[in-house]
Amino acid sequence: MPSTAPRLIRSARLLDAAEARIASEFTAPPPPQNALTTEALLALAHEYLPAAMIVTHTTPLRAADVAALPDCVKMVATVSVGLDHLDLAALHARGITVSNTPDVLTDCNADLSMMLILAASRRAAEYFTLVKTGWTRPLGLSDMLGQRVTGKRLGIVGMGRIGQAVARRARGFDMDILYHNRSRLPPELEAGATYYATLEDMLPHCDILTLHAPAQSSGAPLMDARTLALLPRGAVLVNAARGKLVDEAALIDALRSGHLAGAGLDVYQHEPDPNPTLVGLPNVFTTPHTGSATVETRTAMCMLALDNVAAFAAGQTMPSPVKA
């Protein structure tokens, strides 16, 4: 590698293709065997004195952590779209450039959302449990009936890249697309979807509701007892965006009462230790925050993080900077 190769550390081992690139294009210590704690990452930064750090959501950098970074650190590249684990204000106040990895995970997140929609509507968790624990008699005509997805009204909260990708997939099931967004999309992106300026106006019309919005700045859940009650009885809720968007106590009540027929969840208020009552409900289909968990997407995310580091080191425009 050239003597001017950018000097970096990472909080976790990246995928093989990205590790091979690090070995050939960057100056870096061996990858950690296990994801580093924030404390271990800070210690490594002081030992190795890198110009850039690559982190994931498992290694948060809060204000006190940012203050403890050595002055040599000029950039933090996170292998994620979400930034909840970073104190952006503290990083930018120290003049540290930040990048993330948007766009490359849009399709896989949309694919997972459709899986959650189908699984929650068709009672996949209950079917799986029945077969695995002992399916001993044929099901009658009225036993364990799910809900058809084809032709249903799908409400999308947050019509950004992922929301639009979900809408494209849902049209393959002849679903009517409704959406609520901070602003209305132009007609070519709306593609016939029905826009609602307020969430409250849209919810009564949704057979299935899928969330693709960032967490609210206030920290309050978007879907609480009041907003869940606005959904039609028998509706299905899907959340593959942020756990903070849903009041889980209210969701449990809605699922137990039958107001909601089911839920498909990839994210939770508390990770990696979600509410056992919630995930134990038979009408909840769960995945462990794996929206981007494919070889193709995770590799692309790692490579984009390295693209950002390389561009920053060369004084070039980064592909995906996070603005102050």
Side-chain angles (χ1 to χ4, degrees):
M1 69 184 70
S3 59
T4 56
R7 195 171 180 87
L8 67 81
I9 61 174
R10 64 277 208 206
S11 67
R13 180 182 179 88
L14 305 186
L15 270 73
D16 288 348
E19 287 294 340
R21 181 178 174 188
I22 288 175
S24 65
E25 298 180 22
F26 298 86
T27 301
Q33 300 247 337
N34 300 298
L36 298 179
T37 64
T38 300
E39 182 180 14
L41 182 67
L42 292 174
L44 181 60
H46 280 276
E47 174 189 350
Y48 201 76
L49 299 178
M53 301 197 313
I54 294 180
V55 301
T56 71
H57 71 281
T58 62
T59 307
L61 292 173
R62 306 306 180 198
D65 308 318
V66 174
L69 288 171
D71 291 338
C72 59
V73 175
K74 303 298 182 184
M75 182 193 177
V76 170
T78 181
V79 188
S80 66
V81 175
L83 301 164
D84 296 349
H85 56 298
L86 300 179
D87 190 320
L88 291 179
L91 286 163
H92 288 140
R94 282 203 62 180
I96 296 174
T97 298
V98 180
S99 69
N100 66 344
T101 56
D103 301 331
V104 294
L105 46 64
T106 295
D107 284 331
C108 278
N109 272 278
D111 289 350
L112 184 85
S113 297
M114 285 305 302
M115 181 181 82
L116 294 174
I117 288 169
L118 290 164
S121 298
R122 292 298 304 271
R123 300 176 67 166
E126 294 170 85
Y127 296 161
F128 179 87
T129 300
L130 175 64
V131 174
K132 287 290 187 180
T133 58
W135 178 30
T136 58
R137 64 175 180 83
L139 296 179
L141 283 177
S142 60
D143 290 340
M144 297 187 74
L145 301 184
Q147 297 190 52
R148 184 175 68 179
V149 169
T150 298
K152 287 298 195 299
R153 301 169 299 176
L154 176 66
I156 300 176
V157 180
M159 200 66 147
R161 298 180 186 92
I162 296 174
Q164 291 174 45
V166 171
R168 289 193 295 271
R169 286 155 175 75
R171 291 186 183 98
F173 289 85
D174 295 326
M175 301 182 83
D176 291 330
I177 309 301
L178 324 175
Y179 77 99
H180 167 63
N181 205 43
R182 283 178 292 185
S183 57
R184 185 168 185 171
L185 298 179
E188 64 272 17
L189 295 180
E190 198 171 66
T194 301
Y195 172 67
Y196 288 84
T198 71
L199 177 66
E200 289 78 4
D201 285 343
M202 181 179 77
L203 291 177
H205 304 284
C206 301
D207 300 309
I208 302 168
L209 182 72
T210 182
L211 307 180
H212 300 286
Q216 298 194 102
S217 57
S218 66
L222 185 69
M223 299 306 298
D224 55 18
R226 181 185 66 86
T227 49
L228 287 170
L230 294 175
L231 289 165
R233 186 171 181 82
V236 168
L237 174 71
V238 166
N239 186 12
R242 292 289 179 268
K244 294 179 181 178
L245 290 172
V246 178
D247 179 335
E248 291 182 351
L251 177 58
I252 290 169
D253 289 343
L255 289 163
R256 280 177 164 169
S257 71
H259 181 70
L260 292 184
L265 305 174
D266 186 51
V267 293
Y268 312 88
Q269 286 184 319
H270 301 287
E271 298 181 13
D273 187 24
N275 185 328
T277 300
L278 175 63
V279 299
L281 292 175
N283 52 347
V284 175
F285 183 88
T286 58
T287 51
H289 203 151
T290 52
S292 64
T294 66
V295 172
E296 298 89 346
T297 293
R298 291 281 173 87
T299 298
M301 291 169 68
C302 292
M303 289 301 196
L304 180 53
L306 291 173
D307 289 345
N308 279 300
V309 173
F312 178 79
Q316 300 171 353
T317 301
M318 296 190 305
S320 53
V322 176
K323 297 179 180 178

